[in-house]
Amino acid sequence: MTELSTIYKLSLIAVTCFIQACSSSCPVLECWFVQEKAGRGGGLTGATTQEKSLLHIRTDGQNDESQRAPKDINPERVYSVIDPAGTLCHRSLNPPRGSVTKPQCEINPFLPQPSSLDWVSSLTESGLSPVYLQAEWFSSAFQGLNEQLGISTITRSPTGSKEHSVILSVTTKTVSVKSRLGEPVQLDCGFWINPSSPLYGAGFAVEWRYQFRGRGRLILAYDGKTDRLADTQEEGATLDFDALHEKGNASLLLQEAKVLHSGTYICTVYLPHLLAQVALDLEIEEPPSLSIHPSTLPLAVPGQTINVQCEASGFAPLPVEFSWEIKGADGKSKTLDSFSVTGHRQAWDRTFSQTSRLEIDTSKLDLGRGGELTCVAAHAGGTRRTSVTLNVIGFSSPSIEDSMAMVGVALVLYGLIKFVSWTFTSSGSAEADKQDKVMSL
């Protein structure tokens, strides 16, 4: 009986540990609770307050008895968040214990309301406000470690309760995207609707907007309830509509990346009276193409000054950093500092070009017979190099190899002269002997 009791206790402990291990895969998130401060008379002044809060993430409705608020957090700001999809249990939101770097989190009160946008208005065309909306609503934004994940959620809580249920979540796995010119680009955006909510199956709408330096434009808008695209769709931008309806995949597809595509993209998903959005940054990085002018350098003599220029073209964004180096006949490289850089110029496709001009004083460089001149352009999209050969003639200090070669040539010439001299001397002596014999006869 004792053995059975012991086994039962051990089994109970094992099950309890297993349950705790499973629930521990979802994080406890430190968050900022931000809300507008109410002014006198109940009006809003526009000022905001922020308090530390704590979110205990779970995938089910089981209460966690261990929810205790740290001393620096108001117990009224400790919430349970039920996320059946498990989106908030992503590893990027759950750093190792003791980690200095933590995910970012902000929670705000949210007021459900209908939208007047053409591609959203069909979701609330009845004009009625459902009883389901009579609750406390919150909008939360999360960003995982190393920009692995961006999430926006709308949660509902019965009035007076601290248990929030995720009704809508919008997610992106491409918070920051880099692309080369001309390549297809996919900006990730997906959404999930809680099947237990009355809003599930009531229709949705998707909108993509672009922002850059305070300016913005609509890229694409789609009414999922009426299966209708807005007339303002930008050329070359589209959605996978099958994946949108079947999997909630609202990713934006750009057929061909251009410089004008660099900026911030906002993916917004609408439900009746609700919306959630995530922001993504796209950077088009195109390294420069380099060319040296003149492409073939003229022969130089010691003391001569040579002007060379290097043009970097077709790159984006700014800046590009130039440097020059020369490798002598001895294989050693030297950095050259006597160069200047012009201002940048912008082409029709919004790529940039810039030129560096270099002066080479051959009297100040011990180049021997010359060397390889290289222009280097360092850019965010990659470093590029191009080279040209520099030949110097009439140099004052020949190399050992050249000296040996000249000695060899001198010896050959000396031997050739001696041979010719000996040949003529020998033939002259033989002719003189002939003449002497004839005269003696």
Side-chain angles (χ1 to χ4, degrees):
M1 189 72 177
T2 306
E3 291 181 359
L4 289 175
S5 177
T6 304
I7 293 173
Y8 173 75
K9 289 179 181 179
L10 290 175
S11 300
L12 185 61
I13 292 173
V15 170
T16 303
C17 291
F18 176 76
I19 292 174
Q20 289 178 348
C22 290
S23 59
S24 67
S25 62
C26 291
V28 177
L29 291 172
E30 294 183 5
C31 214
W32 287 106
F33 187 93
V34 181
Q35 64 179 337
E36 291 184 316
K37 185 187 298 183
R40 293 181 179 178
L44 295 177
T45 64
T48 59
T49 62
Q50 61 179 24
E51 301 177 72
K52 282 187 177 181
S53 64
L54 208 62
L55 306 183
H56 291 261
I57 310 299
R58 307 199 313 273
T59 57
D60 53 41
Q62 293 183 359
N63 291 323
D64 187 355
E65 300 295 338
S66 64
Q67 293 183 14
R68 295 181 180 178
K71 294 181 180 180
D72 60 338
I73 296 180
N74 183 348
E76 295 299 316
R77 293 291 178 232
V78 179
Y79 303 101
S80 293
V81 179
I82 304 172
D83 180 18
T87 305
L88 297 177
C89 299
H90 192 272
R91 62 181 181 278
S92 66
L93 296 176
N94 196 6
R97 183 171 295 180
S99 175
V100 177
T101 306
K102 296 182 179 180
Q104 300 177 25
C105 172
E106 182 178 309
I107 180 171
N108 310 84
F110 179 81
L111 179 63
Q113 55 188 336
S115 173
S116 60
L117 294 171
D118 291 343
W119 48 91
V120 185
S121 58
S122 67
L123 302 179
T124 54
E125 59 187 359
S126 66
L128 300 178
S129 181
V131 177
Y132 177 74
L133 297 180
Q134 297 176 7
E136 293 182 354
W137 294 84
F138 299 89
S139 171
S140 303
F142 307 86
Q143 184 165 310
L145 299 177
N146 303 318
E147 296 185 338
Q148 294 181 45
L149 191 71
I151 304 174
S152 177
T153 65
I154 297 295
T155 57
R156 181 185 183 276
S157 172
T159 304
S161 172
K162 292 194 295 180
E163 185 172 276
H164 297 189
S165 297
V166 176
I167 305 302
L168 170 65
S169 63
V170 180
T171 309
T172 179
K173 299 176 183 176
T174 55
V175 177
S176 180
V177 184
K178 298 183 186 300
S179 175
R180 294 281 302 271
L181 276 178
E183 294 182 349
V185 180
Q186 177 172 305
L187 302 179
D188 179 73
C189 180
F191 66 94
W192 177 84
I193 306 170
N194 194 326
S196 66
S197 167
L199 301 180
Y200 184 82
F204 68 89
V206 175
E207 173 191 281
W208 277 93
R209 287 189 179 272
Y210 168 87
Q211 287 185 348
F212 183 70
R213 295 179 180 175
R215 296 182 179 181
R217 66 178 185 269
L218 180 66
I219 300 293
L220 181 148
Y222 174 70
D223 183 346
K225 185 175 182 179
T226 62
D227 192 25
R228 182 175 60 89
L229 272 171
D231 296 334
T232 54
Q233 180 180 357
E234 186 167 304
E235 183 180 356
T238 187
L239 303 174
D240 183 341
F241 294 102
D242 290 337
L244 177 63
H245 283 273
E246 294 172 6
K247 302 177 182 178
N249 183 356
S251 300
L252 181 68
L253 307 174
L254 300 176
Q255 294 178 0
E256 184 179 350
K258 301 176 182 179
V259 176
L260 58 83
H261 287 146
S262 288
T264 300
Y265 290 78
I266 301 173
C267 173
T268 305
V269 177
Y270 296 87
L271 298 184
H273 300 91
L274 306 180
L275 68 89
Q277 58 186 204
V278 289
L280 306 79
D281 289 323
L282 172 61
E283 185 74 53
I284 305 302
E285 290 185 345
E286 184 67 18
S289 297
L290 296 185
S291 59
I292 290 182
H293 304 283
S295 56
T296 302
L297 299 182
L299 294 175
V301 296
Q304 180 181 355
T305 299
I306 301 174
N307 294 313
V308 188
Q309 68 180 29
C310 177
E311 182 178 10
S313 59
F315 65 90
L318 293 170
V320 66
E321 299 292 337
F322 284 98
S323 62
W324 290 84
E325 58 187 46
I326 190 166
K327 182 186 291 185
D330 57 0
K332 296 181 179 179
S333 295
K334 302 175 184 177
T335 300
L336 305 177
D337 300 323
S338 56
F339 67 89
S340 60
V341 179
T342 66
H344 63 268
R345 304 172 298 279
Q346 193 167 23
W348 63 270
D349 61 354
R350 300 193 182 185
T351 60
F352 297 96
S353 61
Q354 205 164 10
T355 302
S356 175
R357 296 189 174 97
L358 173 71
E359 284 190 356
I360 304 175
D361 187 350
T362 55
S363 64
K364 296 181 180 180
L365 295 173
D366 183 15
L367 297 177
R369 292 169 296 172
E372 184 180 61
L373 180 65
T374 301
C375 170
V376 182
H379 183 262
T383 299
R384 296 294 184 263
R385 309 167 68 92
T386 187
S387 302
V388 69
T389 301
L390 173 64
N391 293 308
V392 180
I393 59 175
F395 47 90
S396 57
S397 52
S399 63
I400 296 175
E401 293 83 356
D402 291 340
S403 300
M404 294 178 64
M406 287 189 289
V407 170
V409 171
L411 290 173
V412 171
L413 290 174
Y414 176 76
L416 182 61
I417 293 171
K418 290 292 291 181
F419 175 76
V420 172
S421 174
W422 177 80
T423 301
F424 277 103
T425 303
S426 299
S427 61
S429 299
E431 189 66 29
D433 291 342
K434 255 184 183 184
Q435 290 179 1
D436 290 343
K437 287 181 180 180
V438 171
M439 292 180 64
S440 62
L441 291 173

